[in-house]
Amino acid sequence: ITPDFMLENVDGKLSLRLNNKYKRNLGPSRQYQQMLKDLGNDEEASSFLKKKLEAAQWFADALKQRENTLFNTMNCILKLQKTFFKSGDIKDLIPMKLLDVAQKIKLNISTVSRVTNSKYIETPFGTFLLKEFFSEAYNKEDGTSISNKVVKSHLQDLLEKEDKKQPLTDEQLSDLLDEKGYHIARRTVAKYREQLGVPVARLRKEL
């Protein structure tokens, strides 16, 4: 994977930049611009060349606009998930939807979706697909709202630490999460477990 963004943490300060080391400054050719000036009264050739130069300028402007869209989208995600990008701990992710970003940077939600579905960022603790930073909210009993990825992270911990000779059932996992303050129904636990790519208890049993 070649990341589209690079994130550095310099003495606690986050620094974001586009990974455009191969970028060239694009624009209409000076050679053809001069040629247009030298054509004089040749209206047909001048009209043809002028259209091509305008198309070249449009293309260069479109690329610049694309870069601005990319950077503004990632910068917004960075601000919303600042704690996570400083710690690298998935438990620091907050609930965030595409609409949250779209509204803040005043873009169409479909545009934000396209950007986050296909772009990667390199951080001090790994490379991530942007869409990984989005999640639904889970509301705890005390009224606080956290990312459901936090719950999945705790579930992952339980699965990794279980006795492989007697793996935990979804009901048992639900009870253990309940003890941690996450009141998750057995059916939801099963859904999260499947999303983590973990099979049911009987298929995890080791002799």
Side-chain angles (χ1 to χ4, degrees):
I1 294 172
T2 300
D4 303 274
F5 305 94
M6 311 292 287
L7 182 69
E8 295 181 336
N9 188 331
V10 182
D11 298 326
K13 185 176 181 180
L14 298 176
S15 175
L16 175 70
R17 64 179 175 85
L18 275 167
N19 184 19
N20 55 1
K21 62 181 180 180
Y22 300 114
K23 175 189 173 185
R24 295 181 179 180
N25 291 322
L26 295 180
S29 166
R30 293 181 180 178
Q31 178 183 351
Y32 286 103
Q33 287 176 328
Q34 185 60 47
M35 187 184 297
L36 178 62
K37 294 178 181 179
D38 296 340
L39 283 174
N41 296 324
D42 190 338
E43 293 184 4
E44 184 178 352
S46 294
S47 177
F48 174 82
L49 196 52
K50 185 177 181 181
K51 288 179 180 178
K52 295 300 181 182
L53 287 169
E54 288 174 348
Q57 185 61 58
W58 178 89
F59 183 73
D61 291 343
L63 287 180
K64 183 62 178 178
Q65 181 60 42
R66 175 180 176 275
E67 285 196 349
N68 289 338
T69 299
L70 289 173
F71 188 83
N72 289 339
T73 300
M74 186 61 241
N75 196 46
C76 182
I77 294 172
L78 177 60
K79 290 178 179 178
L80 290 171
Q81 301 286 5
K82 189 174 182 179
T83 302
F84 166 77
F85 283 112
K86 283 192 171 184
S87 69
D89 188 344
I90 196 171
K91 294 182 178 67
D92 286 330
L93 279 176
I94 65 169
M96 184 176 70
K97 297 180 180 180
L98 291 171
L99 183 60
D100 298 330
V101 175
Q103 288 179 334
K104 284 186 176 295
I105 59 178
K106 295 180 174 55
L107 282 179
N108 190 290
I109 191 170
S110 62
T111 301
V112 176
S113 178
R114 286 196 300 272
V115 169
T116 55
N117 266 318
S118 58
K119 299 295 181 291
Y120 291 83
I121 180 171
E122 182 177 298
T123 74
F125 36 84
T127 300
F128 300 87
L129 188 62
L130 267 58
K131 72 175 184 179
E132 294 179 33
F133 304 128
F134 293 86
S135 62
E136 297 293 330
Y138 168 76
N139 296 313
K140 299 182 69 176
E141 283 190 343
D142 61 6
T144 58
S145 179
I146 63 171
S147 166
N148 63 1
K149 288 196 174 184
V150 174
V151 181
K152 290 181 184 180
S153 178
H154 285 289
L155 176 59
Q156 181 79 57
D157 290 343
L158 291 172
L159 290 166
E160 289 177 353
K161 295 175 182 177
E162 71 179 356
D163 182 353
K164 299 305 179 184
K165 292 183 178 180
Q166 292 182 316
L168 298 165
T169 65
D170 292 339
E171 191 69 42
Q172 290 172 321
L173 289 166
S174 178
D175 292 339
L176 290 171
L177 286 171
D178 188 74
E179 293 175 7
K180 292 177 177 289
Y182 305 106
H183 307 298
I184 309 296
R186 182 196 61 78
R187 286 177 298 179
T188 305
V189 169
K191 182 178 73 172
Y192 287 174
R193 173 180 53 71
E194 290 172 0
Q195 290 174 351
L196 292 170
V198 179
V200 295
R202 62 184 176 82
L203 297 178
R204 302 198 307 274
K205 189 172 183 178
E206 297 178 1
L207 300 178

